[in-house]
Amino acid sequence: MKGVEACKKAGLPFQFNTVIRRHIIKEIPDILKMAVDCGASAVEFFDLVKVKRVKEQCPDEPLTVDERRNIMEWLAELQREYPLIIRVPACPMYPLALKYKGIQPKMVSEEQLRRIPYYGRGCAAGMPNGYITILFNGDVIPCMLLQYKIGNVRREPLRKIWEHSLLANLRLRSLLKGECGRCRYREECAGCRGRAYEETGDPLAEDPGCWL
C-alpha cells in the first residue's frame, strides 16, 4: 500500500497483482474492490502453477479444475461491468471464457481487451508474439512458469537460444498432445505449457488444469 501511495504521488499508473490460490478465493471480491478504490489501472490474477517452490511450500494451494472453471467464468461475467481490465496469466482458457460467454465489457475498450494475455493468441511461451524469460544469472527459460532451461545469454547469443528446439516445438501447435492437440481451441489457447510440464514432465502434454 505504500507503493500504491508512492505511485499516485508520482503520477505513475499501477496495477494490482496477486496469485489465485485456494486459501484466498474468498478474498478475491475484496481485492477487486480495493483495486478500484485505490485507483489501479488493471488487476492481474496469476493462476498458481505447481513449480518447484509451490510443490515444496504449498502443494495443496493450486486450484482444482472445477475451482478454476468457476473462478474464471465468474471473473469473465464480472468483466461485463467491472471498470478495470482483468488479466489472468497462466490461464489461456480465461480469454476463451470471455468469448464463449459473449462478454462485451461496458467499461473496458476493445484495445484493452486484446491486450489480455493469450487473447486470440494462446500460450505465449517462446512464441513470436509472446516472450521468453531471462533470469538474473542469464539463464533463459521459455516462460516464468515453464522453468525449462534452454540456454544462457552470458554464454551464447540470444538469437541462437531463440532457435532452440523446444521453442520451435512450442510454436507448432500441431505437436501438442492429448486433449490440447485435439482441441478446437488449440491455436488460440494451447493450454498452459508450464502447468503441463510441471505436472507431467512434458511441455507438450495436455494441460491438466483445463476444463474445456
Side-chain angles (χ1 to χ4, degrees):
M1 298 308 295
K2 290 181 179 178
V4 166
E5 293 306 315
C7 286
K8 290 167 72 172
K9 185 176 181 180
L12 291 173
F14 61 92
Q15 65 183 38
F16 273 28
N17 292 358
T18 191
V19 176
I20 297 183
R21 15 191 307 175
R22 300 179 77 185
H23 187 69
I24 67 119
I25 288 175
K26 63 183 182 297
E27 299 177 21
I28 292 175
D30 289 337
I31 293 170
L32 288 160
K33 181 179 184 300
M34 185 185 296
V36 175
D37 292 345
C38 289
S41 60
V43 181
E44 284 201 2
F45 291 103
F46 287 73
D47 189 4
L48 187 63
V49 171
K50 290 183 181 178
V51 295
K52 181 179 178 182
R53 192 161 53 137
V54 173
K55 292 173 184 175
E56 293 173 349
Q57 298 182 12
C58 53
D60 297 327
E61 286 293 285
L63 305 177
T64 66
V65 175
D66 287 341
E67 286 170 337
R68 182 171 294 106
R69 176 177 188 164
N70 291 338
I71 290 173
M72 298 308 160
E73 291 191 341
W74 179 78
L75 287 172
E77 287 290 348
L78 186 75
Q79 186 69 90
R80 292 184 192 274
E81 305 281 348
Y82 191 65
L84 308 180
I85 190 72
I86 299 171
R87 298 191 286 259
V88 189
C91 191
M93 296 78 75
Y94 170 69
L96 289 178
L98 291 170
K99 290 186 176 183
Y100 68 64
K101 293 174 77 65
I103 306 297
Q104 296 293 329
K106 295 181 179 179
M107 304 177 72
V108 171
S109 70
E110 183 67 26
E111 180 182 358
Q112 288 176 302
L113 205 60
R114 287 197 300 269
R115 294 187 65 185
I116 290 178
Y118 324 121
Y119 193 87
R121 302 182 296 276
C123 178
M127 297 296 289
N129 59 1
Y131 47 71
I132 53 176
T133 298
I134 303 175
L135 303 178
F136 71 97
N137 61 356
D139 284 349
V140 180
I141 55 179
C143 165
M144 60 186 173
L145 299 170
L146 178 47
Q147 298 182 1
Y148 184 108
K149 182 179 174 181
I150 57 174
N152 186 291
V153 293
R154 293 179 175 175
R155 294 191 287 272
E156 54 192 319
L158 185 57
R159 181 179 294 275
K160 180 180 178 182
I161 298 172
W162 185 250
E163 296 170 351
H164 189 279
S165 60
L166 175 58
L167 299 188
N169 289 340
L170 290 173
R171 292 166 192 150
L172 289 176
R173 304 298 204 202
S174 60
L175 296 181
L176 294 177
K177 302 173 184 177
E179 292 298 331
C180 284
R182 293 185 290 270
C183 183
R184 64 190 175 110
Y185 297 118
R186 183 179 72 183
E187 299 298 327
E188 58 181 322
C189 174
C192 175
R193 298 296 95 215
R195 182 161 44 237
Y197 175 64
E198 291 296 339
E199 297 194 30
T200 73
D202 183 354
L204 297 175
E206 66 183 53
D207 180 352
C210 181
W211 66 88
L212 295 169

